[in-house]
Amino acid sequence: MIATIHDRASEETRNASLEFVLAQPSATYNQWPDWREISPPSSRQTYLDFQVRDSSDALVSAGLLRLTWIVGGTCFAAVQRGPVTPSVQDLPGVLAALEAEASARGAVNLTVNPFWLGDECDACEALLEQHGYIKVSRDLQNMPTTTAVIDLRPSEDDIFAGFNGKVRSKVRQSQKLGIEVSQIANADEADILSAIMRKMASDRSMEIDNQYNIGRFHAHIAKNPQAGLVMKAVFEGKMFGGAVALAEGTRAGLHLLASDPETQRGVPRTQLLLWEMTKILKGRGFTDFDLIGFPDDRYDEDAQAESRGLFKSAFKPATPYVTALMVKPLRPVAHHMMTRGRKIYRSKIKPLLRGAPS
């Protein structure tokens, strides 16, 4: 297989890549060509468009290769929630092609986590191990290894009946209170939701980055309505919450869910919002609504993760395992030295910088 890499591909190539990604069972929004505009790289990162074709010139993978520069022209390479392929069995050839391109650009390793669930997750991880990949240590696993998926194929009534009694009660209470849920109408509303997200993050000591600029999602979806939804929840004329769901083939992924921590006591925050999103996504033909992330019963999780899991479990989702972040050293000595340095930075230095006065 041959990989073609572009600093920025032509519009025609990017359109072909997007069409390919959205047609695959392992589709993820992180591998949309436009993800680099929605979630711009940091000053130390570079996104590269790639396509991989087989001997018959058929496209077998496409997406974004991210390089994070370290020192002396070396970098970490990653394909976030990818690479996207038609099947697990297509991965070895795709990865070999990407490894060669990443190594030629100074990468000391390549980190991947193709989005496969359940039995296919197990098969994917086993295959990756056979080809030299190892699971990233738990302290560096910054993506979910278990998720929560609502099946959208039953009728609306059956889906609603499947939620637990507390969720159903909160939905009805929200409707009686006059809470209104609808799509974000303009950039100003997107900015309000961004502010709510930042306030919630501050209240819960959550770390957020430029993936939480709601204006970028709104602008993208305004031009590409099939790409997803940006929703708001309004009570007594004031927005107090919202959510973003993004298309991943026949699955929609809940990228974020936010509510104002100062919302009036006794007002349900997000149950009606998620129910209305569920109905819209079902109406658009999605078969699954992935709430993205759930406590992994194989590990000890922190209190925030357990709390989020308790909330999501009330919607009675399936909770399959998801392919973990796995890494292949391309320059073993440099990989081990720099991975150790990254651990020290994340565990010791970064918390100090975060707590330093501005």
Side-chain angles (χ1 to χ4, degrees), residues 31-51:
Q31 291 303 303
W32 292 352
D34 287 342
W35 187 249
R36 63 161 78 199
E37 281 81 39
I38 296 170
S39 179
S42 72
S43 59
R44 293 174 48 241
Q45 295 176 332
T46 302
Y47 277 130
L48 301 174
D49 292 303
F50 75 82
Q51 289 189 339

Side-chain angles (χ1 to χ4, degrees), residues 163-179:
F163 298 162
N164 78 10
K166 184 175 180 180
V167 169
R168 298 196 302 272
S169 176
K170 293 287 188 181
V171 168
R172 296 186 184 106
Q173 182 187 358
S174 299
Q175 292 167 334
K176 289 179 180 178
L177 287 171
I179 292 174

Side-chain angles (χ1 to χ4, degrees), residues 60-304:
V60 288
S61 188
L64 294 172
L65 177 66
R66 189 188 70 190
L67 306 180
T68 302
W69 299 99
I70 312 165
V71 64
T74 59
C75 60
F76 296 121
V79 184
Q80 287 186 296
R81 298 179 78 221
V84 173
T85 56
S87 72
V88 171
Q89 289 68 36
D90 291 306
L91 283 168
V94 168
L95 290 170
L98 290 176
E99 289 160 15
E101 292 291 340
S103 183
R105 286 164 172 77
V108 302
N109 58 28
L110 176 62
T111 300
V112 301
N113 58 324
F115 194 81
W116 295 98
L117 305 173
D119 291 343
E120 289 174 313
C121 162
D122 294 340
C124 179
E125 291 184 350
L127 184 147
L128 290 174
E129 288 177 354
Q130 292 169 18
H131 288 82
Y133 285 80
I134 54 177
K135 284 188 180 181
V136 169
S137 60
R138 190 63 188 170
D139 56 327
L140 294 179
Q141 285 280 351
N142 59 2
M143 290 193 178
T145 50
T146 304
T147 196
V149 183
I150 298 172
D151 186 353
L152 301 182
R153 290 169 297 181
S155 68
E156 281 188 12
D157 288 345
D158 286 344
I159 293 172
F160 189 71
F163 298 162
N164 78 10
K166 184 175 180 180
V167 169
R168 298 196 302 272
S169 176
K170 293 287 188 181
V171 168
R172 296 186 184 106
Q173 182 187 358
S174 299
Q175 292 167 334
K176 289 179 180 178
L177 287 171
I179 292 174
E180 298 176 350
V181 174
S182 60
Q183 295 190 53
I184 290 286
N186 51 51
D188 288 342
E189 289 190 344
D191 289 343
I192 293 171
L193 184 52
S194 290
I196 290 171
M197 183 71 210
R198 290 192 297 270
K199 185 189 293 187
M200 185 183 80
S202 176
D203 181 71
R204 300 183 183 179
S205 299
M206 294 166 54
E207 184 178 355
I208 60 174
D209 56 23
N210 57 18
Q211 293 185 38
Y212 298 94
N213 183 318
I214 312 301
R216 295 195 188 106
F217 290 104
H218 169 68
H220 180 77
I221 291 171
K223 293 187 294 184
N224 307 277
Q226 76 285 359
L229 293 170
V230 184
M231 304 288 287
K232 63 182 179 184
V234 176
F235 178 59
E236 295 183 344
K238 180 182 178 182
M239 188 190 307
F240 70 95
V244 176
L246 302 173
E248 299 188 318
T250 60
R251 183 182 63 252
L254 181 66
H255 181 65
L256 66 86
L257 177 67
S259 63
D260 190 331
E262 297 178 3
T263 301
Q264 181 179 322
R265 188 176 180 85
V267 175
R269 295 187 179 184
T270 53
Q271 288 85 359
L272 180 62
L273 182 61
L274 284 176
W275 172 231
E276 292 298 327
M277 290 187 86
T278 296
K279 291 190 291 183
I280 293 172
L281 293 169
K282 176 178 173 58
R284 289 190 179 186
F286 290 99
T287 59
D288 296 287
F289 185 16
D290 184 358
L291 303 183
I292 301 191
F294 195 80
D296 192 321
D297 58 13
R298 298 169 294 184
Y299 306 100
D300 292 329
E301 300 278 13
D302 62 34
Q304 284 195 356

Side-chain angles (χ1 to χ4, degrees), residues 310-322:
L310 186 63
F311 171 77
K312 292 175 182 179
S313 67
F315 293 85
K316 302 299 182 181
T319 55
Y321 295 139
V322 183

